[in-house]
Structure formats: structure tokens, C-alpha cells
Amino acid sequence: MAEKAKQQQQRFAFSFPVTVVVSAIAYIYISTVFVFIDRWLGLFSSPGIANAVVFTFIAFMSVFSYRSAVFMDPGQVPSTYSPDVEDTQTPIHEIKRKGGDLRYCQKCSHYKPPRAHHCRVCKRCVLRMDHHCIWINNCVGHANYKIFFIFVTYAVIACIYSLVLLVGSLAYDGLWDEEKNDGSFRTVYVISGLLLVPLSIALCVLLGWHIYLILHNNTTLEYYEGVRALWLAEKGGSIYKHPYDLGPYENLTSVLGPNILSWLWPTANHIGSGLRFRTVYDLTKGASTSK
């Protein structure tokens, strides 16, 4: 309990990157609603109100999912966990690259479940660890991976939406029209452009990367481990296949949930314990049983 309380205190402590993200969200929201929408469409006109409501909803979902990703525990390995090598329902046990022993964390003093890794920043093992993200001051793991993905999705939509409104407002208003604009509005447009363009590009790349990972049921760590495993397999004349790749649709539902209507909602009630994951061997076993 004391260790868990210490970990929670670390997540709740001041984080400069988190402060930067919160400040950027606040600045983008205020400039979009009270400058771009207001000066282009009129904030209290029908189009202005409609755009303000839609953008506010997207911003709210971004903030809500971001908060959840920051404060949610990504998944902790139970202290009582021990792999059962005689369990016929578990067709795969991950082993060390060297020696072939079951994966054991010397720092945490317990066995590691499949897909779990030790985080040097959080100083503990995380279930289905993807990576440690400084921008949420937390690991992205089994419990908060979907929520992190939803945050990135809404952040991309918000940035592109704001950028469209910026360009529309700029075209309508005329940035350099001295009669209409004072220096403060020009500054808002310039800062917003310098913020939104690189941010939109970076977030789109990040979103595309995680869409690729989800479709292949991979994590960032597993991807780089898989590249090495593929190279070693080809060198040895064999074929390597990621054992958790169940096919695009199965991979999607395993992360986002079985109900397509909840895919863009930041909840993850379907994920299970994180101690065992379906593999291609389960599919093979099911196919052979049905014959």
C-alpha cells in the first residue's frame, strides 16, 4: 500500500510537460472560440454558436481523456503473480532472450506476465507497457492505452478544426488590415499558427503510428523487439510472426472494445486483467477443436 501511495504521489506531483500541454489546450481553445470563430462567423450567430458548441465538445473530450490518461494507473503486476507453466489454457510463456528462462524482474522481485515491462522512470513493471510518456507524466500501458489513444484522436481533430477556423478567419478578416486589426490580434494569429501547424503534424504522425500498432496488436516496445526477432528469424531461415496479431478487426476490438459505438469514448471496461492475452495459438486451437 505504501508503494502504491508513493507512485500515486509521483503522478500527482508538478510536471512541467503536463503544464505545457494544459496551457496549450487552454490557449488553443480560447483563441479558436473567442478570436477565430468570433471574427469570422460572429460568436452569437447561428454558424458561430454551432461551431463553438462542436469545438467545445471536442475540447472537453480531449481534456477529459487527457486527465484520465494522466491519473489512471497503467496497470500494475500483482505481487502474487506467478506463471503456471503447466496451464494448458496458456499456450505461450514469454521467456528471456538469453538463457530461455521465464521473464523475472530483479528490481521488482517478481515474474513478469506476457507483454509486461519494467519502466525505469516509474520504477516498476507495467502491464502491456507501450512506452513512458513525459507529456502525461505516466506510463502508457494496459489500463490507459485506449484512453491515451482517444486523447490523441480528439487532439488531432481539435488541432485540424482550429487550423481550419484560423485560415477561414484569416481569409475573411485580413490579418494585415490595419483598419480592422490591432497588434494583439495579429499576435494571436501568428502564435496560433506557429503552435497549430507543427502540433497538427506531430499529432497526426503519432495517431498514424498508434493506428498501425493497434491494427497489428503491437506495442511500441514489441514493435522494436519484433524488428530484431524478424531479423534473427530470417537469419536462421525461419519465419517470425507476432503471436498477438489476431487480424485487424480482432486487434481493433481487443483495444477499443467490442461495441463500435464506444470506440471514441474514453473507457476501457473490456480489457481484462492484463495477465493473459489471446494469441494466434488460441485461434489455431479453436479451429482444430471445431473440426
Side-chain angles (χ1 to χ4, degrees):
M1 289 293 292
E3 183 67 23
K4 187 174 182 179
K6 183 179 179 181
Q7 291 164 0
Q8 289 178 340
Q9 186 177 5
Q10 288 177 345
R11 288 205 305 275
F12 298 159
F14 172 79
S15 169
F16 178 73
V18 171
T19 304
V20 170
V21 172
V22 173
S23 301
I25 291 173
Y27 181 84
I28 291 171
Y29 177 78
I30 292 171
S31 60
T32 300
V33 174
F34 297 103
V35 178
F36 308 152
I37 293 178
D38 185 40
R39 295 179 71 83
W40 180 18
L41 304 169
L43 187 56
F44 297 104
S45 66
S46 296
I49 292 173
N51 278 275
V53 168
V54 172
F55 188 80
T56 298
F57 172 77
I58 297 171
F60 171 79
M61 293 303 297
S62 298
V63 171
F64 181 75
S65 53
Y66 180 73
R67 180 187 180 280
S68 299
V70 169
F71 290 111
M72 181 175 287
D73 191 307
Q76 187 167 358
V77 179
S79 57
T80 57
Y81 172 78
S82 179
D84 185 0
V85 294
E86 297 181 356
D87 182 9
T88 58
Q89 299 300 316
T90 306
I92 181 172
H93 292 280
E94 293 182 352
I95 59 176
K96 295 180 181 178
R97 296 177 188 171
K98 297 180 180 179
D101 299 325
L102 291 171
R103 297 166 68 236
Y104 185 85
C105 182
Q106 300 291 343
K107 297 178 181 177
C108 297
S109 300
H110 59 57
Y111 285 100
K112 288 192 249 185
R115 316 187 81 176
H117 293 271
H118 186 86
C119 176
R120 290 176 293 180
V121 180
C122 296
K123 298 180 180 178
R124 61 169 176 148
C125 287
V126 175
L127 296 173
R128 196 189 179 274
M129 180 177 172
D130 186 89
H131 69 288
H132 183 88
C133 180
I134 63 169
W135 300 108
I136 65 172
N137 193 34
N138 197 5
C139 271
V140 178
H142 176 65
N144 66 348
Y145 180 79
K146 178 192 172 182
I147 293 169
F148 172 80
F149 177 76
I150 295 303
F151 161 67
V152 175
T153 301
Y154 279 113
V156 166
I157 296 171
C159 285
I160 294 175
Y161 195 173
S162 179
L163 199 55
V164 169
L165 291 171
L166 183 154
V167 172
S169 175
L170 190 59
Y172 175 81
D173 207 20
L175 176 58
W176 307 112
D177 190 339
E178 297 292 344
E179 296 181 358
K180 289 185 177 180
N181 297 291
D182 55 25
S184 61
F185 281 113
R186 287 199 297 273
T187 302
V188 170
Y189 280 112
V190 171
I191 293 176
S192 297
L194 292 175
L195 178 63
L196 283 169
V197 171
L199 191 58
S200 298
I201 295 172
L203 287 173
C204 282
V205 171
L206 182 62
L207 179 63
W209 168 245
H210 281 283
I211 289 174
Y212 171 85
L213 291 178
I214 290 175
L215 289 175
H216 293 81
N217 205 348
N218 242 324
T219 66
T220 299
L221 291 173
E222 287 171 349
Y223 173 81
Y224 289 109
E225 289 179 348
V227 170
R228 183 176 183 274
L230 178 63
W231 178 78
L232 291 173
E234 290 179 346
K235 189 177 180 181
S238 57
I239 300 174
Y240 171 79
K241 179 175 175 58
H242 183 55
Y244 302 103
D245 188 353
L246 308 175
Y249 181 75
E250 289 289 338
N251 295 339
L252 273 172
T253 55
S254 68
V255 174
L256 301 180
N259 185 357
I260 193 171
L261 297 177
S262 67
W263 281 8
L264 289 180
W265 191 255
T267 56
N269 300 323
H270 63 284
I271 57 175
S273 66
L275 300 177
R276 185 188 185 282
F277 298 91
R278 292 181 65 202
T279 68
V280 291
Y281 305 106
D282 294 311
L283 299 180
T284 304
K285 185 191 300 183
S288 61
T289 304
S290 62
K291 290 181 180 179

